[in-house]
Amino acid sequence: THKDLEDTISPERGATHKVLEQVAGFLRRELPIRLAHRIQELDDVPYMKEMPCVIEVKKLYTQSFLELVEMENKIMNPDQEESFARLVETIYNRHSKVLVQMARGAYEFRDAVRNGQFPELSKDKAAVGFSQMESTHEFLDEFYMCRIGIRVLIGQYLALRQPPMEHYIGIICSRTSPYEIVKRAIDDASFMCVRKYGDAPEVMITGKLEQTFPYVPTHLRKCLLCFRICAILSSTRRERPLSARYVVSKPSSSEIMMELSIFSHLTFLS
C-alpha cells in the first residue's frame, strides 16, 4: 500500500489510544504483505539467493512474517495494541542488521562469481563481473528502498507511543532544516577526517539556509554523512577546499526534492 509522508503527520490526530489502535491495525494488515514480497524477492533473485547471508535474511523475514500473521486480525483494545507494539519492536530490532547482512551476501556473491562457482555466468563475458550484473544491483536497490519503507512505518508507530517532542510527530520533524543537517554531517565527517589524517578541508555552504520542511531527520542525516565522508576524504587527499550547495524544490504537493552538490576548488598558479 502506497503511503505518503503527509499521511502520517497530521498534528490534530494526536497519539491517543484510539489513534494507536488504528495505526497498529494498519500495520497488522500492511507489514505481512510487505514482508511476504521481500521473502518472494529473496527466493527469486538468481544465484544470490544461494548465498549464506541472504539465506539468513530470508529466514529472518520469514520468522517475522509468521509472528505477525499469528497475531489477532483486528486490534480492538489497548491490551492488544500493547502486545502488538512489543512484537513490532522486537521485529524492528531483529531487522536492524539486515543492511549489513545483505552487504555480506553481495560480497559472498561477488567472490563466488570471481571463483567460478557459477560456470554458466562465464558463457557471456560481459556478464562475468559482479559490477555488470544490472539485475542484481536493481534487486538490491529495490530491496533496500523497501526496507526503508518498512522501518519508517514501524519507527513512526513506536515513536508515537513515546512522550511528544516539540516540532515532532513520531520520528517526523515538521521543521527539518537541510542546513542544520548538512552542517552537522560536515562537522561529523570533518572530525573523522582530522582524526584519521590530521586535517580536513574547509567547507562553505550556500543555498536557502532558512528552508525547512517535514521529513525524517535521522534518515537524511545518515545519507548526507556517508556522502560527506567520501567527499571530504577525497578532498583531503588532494588538499583542496570544498563548497557544499543544496537546492530544495517541491515538484508536487506530496514531494520534496533535495539536491546536494559538492565542489572541489582548484587553484592555478601562473
Side-chain angles (χ1 to χ4, degrees):
T1 303
H2 176 75
K3 296 292 287 184
D4 289 330
L5 193 62
E6 193 173 340
D7 294 337
T8 63
I9 62 173
S10 301
E12 68 275 11
R13 291 175 60 186
T16 63
H17 285 302
K18 188 65 176 178
V19 168
L20 290 176
E21 289 172 19
Q22 290 174 349
V23 176
F26 166 76
L27 292 180
R28 168 61 184 84
R29 298 187 302 273
E30 183 69 16
L31 290 178
I33 296 173
R34 296 193 179 213
L35 292 176
H37 283 306
R38 304 293 80 77
I39 294 168
Q40 187 64 54
E41 290 171 357
L42 289 167
D43 199 41
D44 290 343
V45 60
Y47 306 111
M48 195 173 173
K49 64 183 179 182
E50 301 177 26
M51 300 301 103
C53 283
V54 176
I55 293 173
E56 287 302 313
V57 170
K58 181 186 171 184
K59 290 180 180 178
L60 184 149
Y61 272 74
T62 302
Q63 178 185 353
S64 298
F65 171 81
L66 293 175
E67 290 175 350
L68 282 167
V69 296
E70 289 174 358
M71 289 286 296
E72 294 89 345
N73 287 328
K74 295 183 178 181
I75 310 296
M76 303 295 293
N77 56 62
D79 289 340
Q80 290 177 326
E81 188 273 325
E82 177 71 28
S83 177
F84 182 78
R86 288 196 299 269
L87 173 60
V88 295
E89 185 173 11
T90 299
I91 292 174
Y92 189 84
N93 294 330
R94 179 189 300 151
H95 287 234
S96 63
K97 297 181 180 179
V98 164
L99 191 66
V100 174
Q101 287 176 289
M102 287 300 293
R104 289 174 178 167
Y107 278 114
E108 290 172 346
F109 182 40
R110 184 191 65 179
D111 290 341
V113 172
R114 288 178 176 176
N115 296 333
Q117 184 173 332
F118 303 105
E120 60 272 26
L121 296 178
S122 300
K123 296 177 182 179
D124 182 2
K125 293 184 178 180
V128 172
F130 176 73
S131 60
Q132 281 86 37
M133 295 182 178
E134 295 183 2
S135 61
T136 300
H137 291 289
E138 289 174 359
F139 157 76
L140 289 172
D141 289 343
E142 177 69 16
F143 184 87
Y144 291 143
M145 287 295 294
C146 292
R147 177 181 180 272
I148 290 172
I150 291 173
R151 293 190 69 77
V152 166
L153 287 175
I154 296 179
Q156 175 71 354
Y157 165 59
L158 295 177
L160 286 173
R161 305 184 81 256
Q162 302 303 314
M165 296 174 56
E166 187 178 10
H167 304 314
Y168 273 82
I169 302 172
I171 61 175
I172 301 167
C173 178
S174 61
R175 298 185 183 179
T176 300
S177 168
Y179 167 71
E180 293 294 337
I181 294 177
V182 168
K183 188 177 184 302
R184 186 178 300 181
I186 289 171
D187 292 342
D188 292 343
S190 297
F191 172 78
M192 297 179 189
C193 197
V194 170
R195 186 175 60 182
K196 178 69 175 179
Y197 296 100
D199 195 13
E202 179 184 356
V203 180
M204 298 172 286
I205 307 176
T206 61
K208 291 185 177 181
L209 307 186
E210 73 284 358
Q211 179 80 50
T212 63
F213 54 85
Y215 201 70
V216 184
T218 53
H219 177 237
L220 189 56
R221 194 173 299 126
K222 289 178 182 178
C223 295
L224 291 178
L225 179 58
C226 294
F227 187 50
R228 291 294 308 126
I229 289 174
C230 293
I232 283 184
L233 291 180
S234 176
S235 179
T236 300
R237 296 187 184 114
R238 294 173 173 80
E239 298 183 352
R240 298 172 183 171
L242 291 177
S243 287
R245 176 177 179 269
Y246 66 83
V247 177
V248 177
S249 59
K250 198 167 185 182
S252 70
S253 61
S254 62
E255 292 180 309
I256 294 175
M257 182 179 297
M258 177 175 174
E259 178 183 353
L260 177 65
S261 302
I262 304 295
F263 303 92
S264 181
H265 297 276
L266 297 174
T267 301
F268 296 94
L269 301 177
S270 57

CSV table of all heavy atoms in Angstrom, one decimal, residues 177-195 199-206 209 220-233 235-236 241-246 258 260-263:
chain,number,residue,atom,x,y,z
A,177,SER,N,15.5,21.1,8.9
A,177,SER,CA,16.3,22.1,8.3
A,177,SER,C,17.5,21.4,7.6
A,177,SER,O,18.4,20.8,8.2
A,177,SER,CB,16.9,23.0,9.4
A,177,SER,OG,17.9,23.8,8.8
A,178,PRO,N,17.5,21.5,6.2
A,178,PRO,CA,18.6,20.9,5.5
A,178,PRO,C,19.9,21.5,5.9
A,178,PRO,O,20.9,20.8,6.0
A,178,PRO,CB,18.3,21.2,4.0
A,178,PRO,CG,16.8,21.5,4.0
A,178,PRO,CD,16.5,22.0,5.3
A,179,TYR,N,19.9,22.8,6.1
A,179,TYR,CA,21.2,23.5,6.5
A,179,TYR,C,21.8,22.9,7.8
A,179,TYR,O,22.9,22.6,7.9
A,179,TYR,CB,21.0,25.0,6.7
A,179,TYR,CG,22.1,25.7,7.4
A,179,TYR,CD1,23.3,25.9,6.8
A,179,TYR,CD2,22.0,26.1,8.7
A,179,TYR,CE1,24.4,26.5,7.4
A,179,TYR,CE2,23.0,26.7,9.4
A,179,TYR,CZ,24.2,26.9,8.7
A,179,TYR,OH,25.3,27.5,9.4
A,180,GLU,N,20.9,22.7,8.8
A,180,GLU,CA,21.4,22.2,10.1
A,180,GLU,C,21.9,20.7,9.9
A,180,GLU,O,22.9,20.4,10.5
A,180,GLU,CB,20.3,22.2,11.1
A,180,GLU,CG,19.8,23.6,11.6
A,180,GLU,CD,20.9,24.3,12.3
A,180,GLU,OE1,21.8,23.7,12.9
A,180,GLU,OE2,20.9,25.6,12.3
A,181,ILE,N,21.2,20.0,9.1
A,181,ILE,CA,21.7,18.6,8.9
A,181,ILE,C,22.9,18.5,8.1
A,181,ILE,O,23.9,17.7,8.4
A,181,ILE,CB,20.5,17.8,8.2
A,181,ILE,CG1,19.3,17.6,9.2
A,181,ILE,CG2,21.0,16.4,7.8
A,181,ILE,CD1,18.1,16.9,8.6
A,182,VAL,N,23.0,19.3,7.0
A,182,VAL,CA,24.3,19.4,6.2
A,182,VAL,C,25.4,19.8,7.1
A,182,VAL,O,26.5,19.2,7.1
A,182,VAL,CB,24.1,20.3,5.0
A,182,VAL,CG1,25.5,20.6,4.4
A,182,VAL,CG2,23.1,19.7,4.0
A,183,LYS,N,25.2,20.8,7.9
A,183,LYS,CA,26.3,21.3,8.8
A,183,LYS,C,26.8,20.3,9.8
A,183,LYS,O,28.0,20.1,10.0
A,183,LYS,CB,25.8,22.6,9.6
A,183,LYS,CG,27.0,23.3,10.3
A,183,LYS,CD,26.4,24.5,11.0
A,183,LYS,CE,27.6,25.3,11.7
A,183,LYS,NZ,28.3,24.4,12.7
A,184,ARG,N,25.8,19.6,10.4
A,184,ARG,CA,26.1,18.5,11.3
A,184,ARG,C,26.9,17.4,10.6
A,184,ARG,O,27.9,16.8,11.2
A,184,ARG,CB,24.9,18.0,12.0
A,184,ARG,CG,25.2,17.0,13.1
A,184,ARG,CD,23.9,16.5,13.8
A,184,ARG,NE,23.2,17.6,14.4
A,184,ARG,CZ,22.1,17.5,15.1
A,184,ARG,NH1,21.6,16.2,15.3
A,184,ARG,NH2,21.4,18.5,15.6
A,185,ALA,N,26.5,17.0,9.4
A,185,ALA,CA,27.2,16.0,8.7
A,185,ALA,C,28.6,16.4,8.4
A,185,ALA,O,29.5,15.6,8.4
A,185,ALA,CB,26.4,15.6,7.4
A,186,ILE,N,28.8,17.7,8.0
A,186,ILE,CA,30.1,18.2,7.7
A,186,ILE,C,31.0,18.1,8.9
A,186,ILE,O,32.1,17.7,8.9
A,186,ILE,CB,30.0,19.6,7.2
A,186,ILE,CG1,29.4,19.6,5.8
A,186,ILE,CG2,31.4,20.3,7.2
A,186,ILE,CD1,29.1,21.0,5.2
A,187,ASP,N,30.4,18.6,10.1
A,187,ASP,CA,31.2,18.6,11.3
A,187,ASP,C,31.6,17.1,11.7
A,187,ASP,O,32.8,16.9,12.1
A,187,ASP,CB,30.4,19.2,12.5
A,187,ASP,CG,30.1,20.7,12.3
A,187,ASP,OD1,30.9,21.3,11.5
A,187,ASP,OD2,29.2,21.2,12.9
A,188,ASP,N,30.7,16.2,11.6
A,188,ASP,CA,31.0,14.8,11.9
A,188,ASP,C,32.0,14.2,11.0
A,188,ASP,O,33.0,13.6,11.4
A,188,ASP,CB,29.7,13.9,11.9
A,188,ASP,CG,28.7,14.3,13.0
A,188,ASP,OD1,29.2,14.9,13.9
A,188,ASP,OD2,27.6,13.9,12.8
A,189,ALA,N,31.9,14.5,9.7
A,189,ALA,CA,32.8,13.9,8.7
A,189,ALA,C,34.2,14.6,8.9
A,189,ALA,O,35.2,14.0,8.7
A,189,ALA,CB,32.3,14.2,7.3
A,190,SER,N,34.2,15.9,9.2
A,190,SER,CA,35.5,16.6,9.4
A,190,SER,C,36.2,16.1,10.6
A,190,SER,O,37.4,15.9,10.6
A,190,SER,CB,35.2,18.1,9.5
A,190,SER,OG,34.7,18.7,8.4
A,191,PHE,N,35.5,15.8,11.7
A,191,PHE,CA,36.1,15.2,12.9
A,191,PHE,C,36.8,13.9,12.5
A,191,PHE,O,37.9,13.6,13.0
A,191,PHE,CB,35.0,15.0,13.9
A,191,PHE,CG,35.5,14.3,15.2
A,191,PHE,CD1,36.3,14.9,16.1
A,191,PHE,CD2,35.2,12.9,15.3
A,191,PHE,CE1,36.7,14.2,17.2
A,191,PHE,CE2,35.6,12.2,16.4
A,191,PHE,CZ,36.4,12.9,17.4
A,192,MET,N,36.1,13.0,11.8
A,192,MET,CA,36.6,11.7,11.4
A,192,MET,C,37.9,12.0,10.5
A,192,MET,O,38.9,11.2,10.7
A,192,MET,CB,35.6,10.9,10.6
A,192,MET,CG,34.4,10.5,11.4
A,192,MET,SD,33.2,9.6,10.4
A,192,MET,CE,31.8,9.5,11.5
A,193,CYS,N,37.8,13.0,9.7
A,193,CYS,CA,39.0,13.2,8.8
A,193,CYS,C,40.2,13.7,9.6
A,193,CYS,O,41.3,13.3,9.3
A,193,CYS,CB,38.5,14.3,7.8
A,193,CYS,SG,39.6,14.4,6.3
A,194,VAL,N,39.9,14.6,10.5
A,194,VAL,CA,41.0,15.1,11.3
A,194,VAL,C,41.7,14.0,12.2
A,194,VAL,O,42.9,13.9,12.3
A,194,VAL,CB,40.5,16.3,12.2
A,194,VAL,CG1,41.6,16.6,13.3
A,194,VAL,CG2,40.2,17.5,11.4
A,195,ARG,N,40.8,13.2,12.7
A,195,ARG,CA,41.3,12.0,13.5
A,195,ARG,C,42.2,11.1,12.7
A,195,ARG,O,43.2,10.5,13.1
A,195,ARG,CB,40.1,11.3,14.1
A,195,ARG,CG,40.6,10.2,15.1
A,195,ARG,CD,39.3,9.6,15.8
A,195,ARG,NE,38.4,9.0,14.8
A,195,ARG,CZ,37.3,8.4,15.1
A,195,ARG,NH1,36.9,8.4,16.4
A,195,ARG,NH2,36.5,7.9,14.2
A,199,ASP,N,43.9,16.6,9.4
A,199,ASP,CA,43.4,17.8,8.8
A,199,ASP,C,42.1,17.5,8.1
A,199,ASP,O,41.8,16.4,7.8
A,199,ASP,CB,44.5,18.4,7.8
A,199,ASP,CG,44.2,19.8,7.4
A,199,ASP,OD1,43.3,20.5,8.1
A,199,ASP,OD2,44.8,20.4,6.5
A,200,ALA,N,41.4,18.6,7.8
A,200,ALA,CA,40.1,18.5,7.0
A,200,ALA,C,39.9,19.7,6.2
A,200,ALA,O,40.3,20.8,6.6
A,200,ALA,CB,38.9,18.3,7.9
A,201,PRO,N,39.4,19.6,5.0
A,201,PRO,CA,39.2,20.8,4.1
A,201,PRO,C,38.1,21.8,4.7
A,201,PRO,O,37.2,21.3,5.4
A,201,PRO,CB,38.8,20.2,2.8
A,201,PRO,CG,38.1,19.0,3.1
A,201,PRO,CD,38.9,18.4,4.3
A,202,GLU,N,38.3,23.0,4.4
A,202,GLU,CA,37.2,24.0,4.7
A,202,GLU,C,36.0,23.8,3.8
A,202,GLU,O,36.2,23.5,2.6
A,202,GLU,CB,37.8,25.4,4.6
A,202,GLU,CG,36.7,26.5,4.9
A,202,GLU,CD,37.3,27.9,4.6
A,202,GLU,OE1,38.4,28.0,4.2
A,202,GLU,OE2,36.5,28.8,4.8
A,203,VAL,N,34.8,23.9,4.4
A,203,VAL,CA,33.6,23.6,3.6
A,203,VAL,C,32.7,24.9,3.7
A,203,VAL,O,32.4,25.4,4.8
A,203,VAL,CB,32.9,22.4,4.1
A,203,VAL,CG1,31.6,22.2,3.3
A,203,VAL,CG2,33.7,21.2,4.0
A,204,MET,N,32.3,25.4,2.6
A,204,MET,CA,31.4,26.5,2.5
A,204,MET,C,30.0,26.0,2.1
A,204,MET,O,29.9,25.2,1.2
A,204,MET,CB,31.9,27.6,1.6
A,204,MET,CG,33.2,28.1,2.0
A,204,MET,SD,33.9,29.2,0.7
A,204,MET,CE,34.4,28.0,-0.5
A,205,ILE,N,29.0,26.5,2.8
A,205,ILE,CA,27.6,26.0,2.5
A,205,ILE,C,26.8,27.2,1.9
A,205,ILE,O,26.8,28.3,2.5
A,205,ILE,CB,26.9,25.5,3.7
A,205,ILE,CG1,27.7,24.4,4.4
A,205,ILE,CG2,25.5,25.0,3.4
A,205,ILE,CD1,27.1,23.9,5.7
A,206,THR,N,26.2,27.0,0.8
A,206,THR,CA,25.3,28.1,0.2
A,206,THR,C,24.0,27.5,-0.1
A,206,THR,O,23.8,26.3,-0.2
A,206,THR,CB,26.0,28.7,-1.1
A,206,THR,OG1,26.1,27.6,-2.0
A,206,THR,CG2,27.3,29.3,-0.8
A,209,LEU,N,19.4,28.8,3.3
A,209,LEU,CA,19.7,28.2,4.6
A,209,LEU,C,18.5,28.2,5.6
A,209,LEU,O,18.5,27.5,6.5
A,209,LEU,CB,20.9,29.1,5.2
A,209,LEU,CG,22.1,29.2,4.3
A,209,LEU,CD1,23.2,29.9,5.1
A,209,LEU,CD2,22.6,27.9,3.8
A,220,LEU,N,17.8,11.5,6.7
A,220,LEU,CA,18.5,12.4,5.9
A,220,LEU,C,20.0,12.6,6.4
A,220,LEU,O,20.9,12.7,5.6
A,220,LEU,CB,17.8,13.8,5.9
A,220,LEU,CG,18.3,14.8,4.9
A,220,LEU,CD1,18.3,14.3,3.5
A,220,LEU,CD2,17.5,16.1,5.1
A,221,ARG,N,20.1,12.6,7.7
A,221,ARG,CA,21.5,12.7,8.3
A,221,ARG,C,22.4,11.6,7.9
A,221,ARG,O,23.6,11.8,7.6
A,221,ARG,CB,21.3,12.8,9.8
A,221,ARG,CG,22.6,13.3,10.5
A,221,ARG,CD,22.3,13.6,12.0
A,221,ARG,NE,21.3,14.6,12.1
A,221,ARG,CZ,20.2,14.4,12.9
A,221,ARG,NH1,19.9,13.2,13.4
A,221,ARG,NH2,19.3,15.4,13.0
A,222,LYS,N,21.9,10.4,7.9
A,222,LYS,CA,22.7,9.2,7.6
A,222,LYS,C,23.1,9.3,6.1
A,222,LYS,O,24.3,9.0,5.8
A,222,LYS,CB,21.9,7.9,7.8
A,222,LYS,CG,21.7,7.6,9.3
A,222,LYS,CD,20.9,6.3,9.5
A,222,LYS,CE,20.7,6.0,11.0
A,222,LYS,NZ,19.9,4.8,11.2
A,223,CYS,N,22.2,9.6,5.2
A,223,CYS,CA,22.5,9.7,3.8
A,223,CYS,C,23.6,10.8,3.6
A,223,CYS,O,24.6,10.5,2.8
A,223,CYS,CB,21.3,10.1,3.0
A,223,CYS,SG,20.0,8.8,3.0
A,224,LEU,N,23.4,11.9,4.2
A,224,LEU,CA,24.4,13.0,4.0
A,224,LEU,C,25.7,12.7,4.6
A,224,LEU,O,26.8,13.1,4.0
A,224,LEU,CB,23.8,14.3,4.5
A,224,LEU,CG,22.6,14.9,3.8
A,224,LEU,CD1,22.1,16.2,4.5
A,224,LEU,CD2,22.9,15.2,2.4
A,225,LEU,N,25.7,12.1,5.7
A,225,LEU,CA,27.0,11.8,6.4
A,225,LEU,C,27.9,10.9,5.5
A,225,LEU,O,29.1,11.1,5.3
A,225,LEU,CB,26.8,11.1,7.7
A,225,LEU,CG,28.1,10.7,8.5
A,225,LEU,CD1,28.9,11.9,8.7
A,225,LEU,CD2,27.7,10.0,9.8
A,226,CYS,N,27.3,9.8,4.9
A,226,CYS,CA,28.0,8.9,4.0
A,226,CYS,C,28.6,9.7,2.8
A,226,CYS,O,29.7,9.5,2.4
A,226,CYS,CB,27.1,7.8,3.6
A,226,CYS,SG,26.6,6.6,4.9
A,227,PHE,N,27.7,10.6,2.3
A,227,PHE,CA,28.1,11.4,1.1
A,227,PHE,C,29.3,12.3,1.5
A,227,PHE,O,30.2,12.5,0.8
A,227,PHE,CB,26.9,12.1,0.6
A,227,PHE,CG,27.2,12.9,-0.7
A,227,PHE,CD1,27.7,12.2,-1.8
A,227,PHE,CD2,26.8,14.2,-0.8
A,227,PHE,CE1,27.9,12.9,-3.0
A,227,PHE,CE2,27.0,14.9,-2.0
A,227,PHE,CZ,27.6,14.2,-3.1
A,228,ARG,N,29.2,13.0,2.6
A,228,ARG,CA,30.2,13.9,3.1
A,228,ARG,C,31.5,13.3,3.4
A,228,ARG,O,32.6,13.8,3.1
A,228,ARG,CB,29.7,14.7,4.3
A,228,ARG,CG,28.5,15.6,4.0
A,228,ARG,CD,28.9,16.8,3.1
A,228,ARG,NE,30.1,17.5,3.6
A,228,ARG,CZ,31.1,17.7,2.9
A,228,ARG,NH1,31.2,17.3,1.7
A,228,ARG,NH2,32.2,18.3,3.4
A,229,ILE,N,31.5,12.1,4.0
A,229,ILE,CA,32.7,11.4,4.3
A,229,ILE,C,33.5,11.1,3.1
A,229,ILE,O,34.7,11.4,3.0
A,229,ILE,CB,32.4,10.1,5.1
A,229,ILE,CG1,31.9,10.4,6.5
A,229,ILE,CG2,33.7,9.2,5.2
A,229,ILE,CD1,31.5,9.2,7.3
A,230,CYS,N,32.8,10.6,2.1
A,230,CYS,CA,33.5,10.3,0.8
A,230,CYS,C,34.1,11.6,0.2
A,230,CYS,O,35.3,11.6,-0.3
A,230,CYS,CB,32.5,9.7,-0.2
A,230,CYS,SG,31.9,8.0,0.3
A,231,ALA,N,33.3,12.7,0.2
A,231,ALA,CA,33.8,13.9,-0.4
A,231,ALA,C,35.0,14.5,0.3
A,231,ALA,O,36.0,15.0,-0.2
A,231,ALA,CB,32.7,14.9,-0.5
A,232,ILE,N,34.9,14.5,1.7
A,232,ILE,CA,35.9,15.1,2.5
A,232,ILE,C,37.2,14.3,2.4
A,232,ILE,O,38.3,14.9,2.3
A,232,ILE,CB,35.5,15.3,3.9
A,232,ILE,CG1,34.5,16.5,4.0
A,232,ILE,CG2,36.6,15.5,4.9
A,232,ILE,CD1,34.0,16.9,5.4
A,233,LEU,N,37.1,13.0,2.5
A,233,LEU,CA,38.3,12.2,2.4
A,233,LEU,C,39.0,12.4,1.0
A,233,LEU,O,40.2,12.5,1.0
A,233,LEU,CB,37.9,10.7,2.6
A,233,LEU,CG,37.5,10.3,4.0
A,233,LEU,CD1,37.2,8.8,4.0
A,233,LEU,CD2,38.6,10.6,5.0
A,235,SER,N,38.8,15.0,-0.9
A,235,SER,CA,39.4,16.4,-0.9
A,235,SER,C,40.7,16.5,-0.1
A,235,SER,O,41.6,17.1,-0.4
A,235,SER,CB,38.4,17.4,-0.5
A,235,SER,OG,39.0,18.7,-0.5
A,236,THR,N,40.7,15.8,1.1
A,236,THR,CA,41.9,15.8,2.0
A,236,THR,C,43.1,15.2,1.3
A,236,THR,O,44.2,15.8,1.4
A,236,THR,CB,41.6,15.0,3.2
A,236,THR,OG1,40.5,15.6,3.9
A,236,THR,CG2,42.8,15.1,4.2
A,241,PRO,N,40.1,22.8,-1.0
A,241,PRO,CA,38.9,23.2,-0.2
A,241,PRO,C,37.6,22.8,-0.9
A,241,PRO,O,37.6,22.5,-2.1
A,241,PRO,CB,39.0,24.7,-0.2
A,241,PRO,CG,39.8,25.1,-1.4
A,241,PRO,CD,40.7,23.9,-1.6
A,242,LEU,N,36.5,22.7,-0.2
A,242,LEU,CA,35.2,22.3,-0.7
A,242,LEU,C,34.1,23.3,-0.5
A,242,LEU,O,34.2,24.1,0.4
A,242,LEU,CB,34.8,21.0,0.0
A,242,LEU,CG,35.6,19.7,-0.3
A,242,LEU,CD1,35.0,18.6,0.6
A,242,LEU,CD2,35.5,19.3,-1.7
A,243,SER,N,33.2,23.3,-1.4
A,243,SER,CA,31.9,24.1,-1.2
A,243,SER,C,30.8,23.1,-1.3
A,243,SER,O,30.8,22.2,-2.1
A,243,SER,CB,31.7,25.1,-2.3
A,243,SER,OG,32.6,26.2,-2.1
A,244,ALA,N,29.8,23.3,-0.4
A,244,ALA,CA,28.6,22.5,-0.5
A,244,ALA,C,27.4,23.4,-0.8
A,244,ALA,O,27.2,24.4,-0.2
A,244,ALA,CB,28.3,21.8,0.9
A,245,ARG,N,26.6,23.0,-1.8
A,245,ARG,CA,25.5,23.8,-2.3
A,245,ARG,C,24.3,22.9,-2.3
A,245,ARG,O,24.3,21.8,-2.9
A,245,ARG,CB,25.7,24.4,-3.6
A,245,ARG,CG,24.5,25.2,-4.2
A,245,ARG,CD,24.9,25.8,-5.5
A,245,ARG,NE,23.8,26.5,-6.1
A,245,ARG,CZ,23.0,26.0,-7.0
A,245,ARG,NH1,23.1,24.7,-7.3
A,245,ARG,NH2,22.0,26.7,-7.5
A,246,TYR,N,23.2,23.3,-1.8
A,246,TYR,CA,22.0,22.4,-1.8
A,246,TYR,C,20.8,23.2,-2.3
A,246,TYR,O,20.7,24.4,-2.1
A,246,TYR,CB,21.6,21.7,-0.5
A,246,TYR,CG,21.2,22.6,0.6
A,246,TYR,CD1,19.9,23.1,0.7
A,246,TYR,CD2,22.2,23.0,1.6
A,246,TYR,CE1,19.6,23.9,1.8
A,246,TYR,CE2,21.8,23.8,2.6
A,246,TYR,CZ,20.5,24.3,2.7
A,246,TYR,OH,20.1,25.1,3.8
A,258,MET,N,15.6,17.3,-2.9
A,258,MET,CA,16.7,18.0,-2.3
A,258,MET,C,17.9,17.5,-3.1
A,258,MET,O,18.2,16.3,-3.3
A,258,MET,CB,16.9,17.6,-0.9
A,258,MET,CG,18.2,18.2,-0.3
A,258,MET,SD,18.3,18.0,1.5
A,258,MET,CE,19.9,18.6,1.8
A,260,LEU,N,22.0,17.9,-3.4
A,260,LEU,CA,23.3,18.4,-2.8
A,260,LEU,C,24.4,18.2,-3.7
A,260,LEU,O,24.6,17.1,-4.3
A,260,LEU,CB,23.5,17.5,-1.5
A,260,LEU,CG,24.8,17.8,-0.7
A,260,LEU,CD1,24.8,19.3,-0.2
A,260,LEU,CD2,25.0,16.8,0.4
A,261,SER,N,25.2,19.3,-3.9
A,261,SER,CA,26.4,19.3,-4.8
A,261,SER,C,27.6,19.6,-4.0
A,261,SER,O,27.6,20.5,-3.2
A,261,SER,CB,26.2,20.3,-5.9
A,261,SER,OG,25.0,20.0,-6.7
A,262,ILE,N,28.7,18.9,-4.3
A,262,ILE,CA,30.0,19.1,-3.7
A,262,ILE,C,30.9,19.6,-4.7
A,262,ILE,O,31.1,19.0,-5.8
A,262,ILE,CB,30.5,17.8,-3.0
A,262,ILE,CG1,29.5,17.3,-2.0
A,262,ILE,CG2,31.9,18.1,-2.3
A,262,ILE,CD1,29.3,18.2,-0.8
A,263,PHE,N,31.6,20.7,-4.5
A,263,PHE,CA,32.5,21.3,-5.4
A,263,PHE,C,33.9,21.3,-4.8
A,263,PHE,O,34.1,21.7,-3.7
A,263,PHE,CB,32.1,22.7,-5.8
A,263,PHE,CG,30.8,22.9,-6.4
A,263,PHE,CD1,29.7,23.1,-5.6
A,263,PHE,CD2,30.6,22.6,-7.8
A,263,PHE,CE1,28.4,23.2,-6.2
A,263,PHE,CE2,29.3,22.7,-8.3
A,263,PHE,CZ,28.2,23.0,-7.5
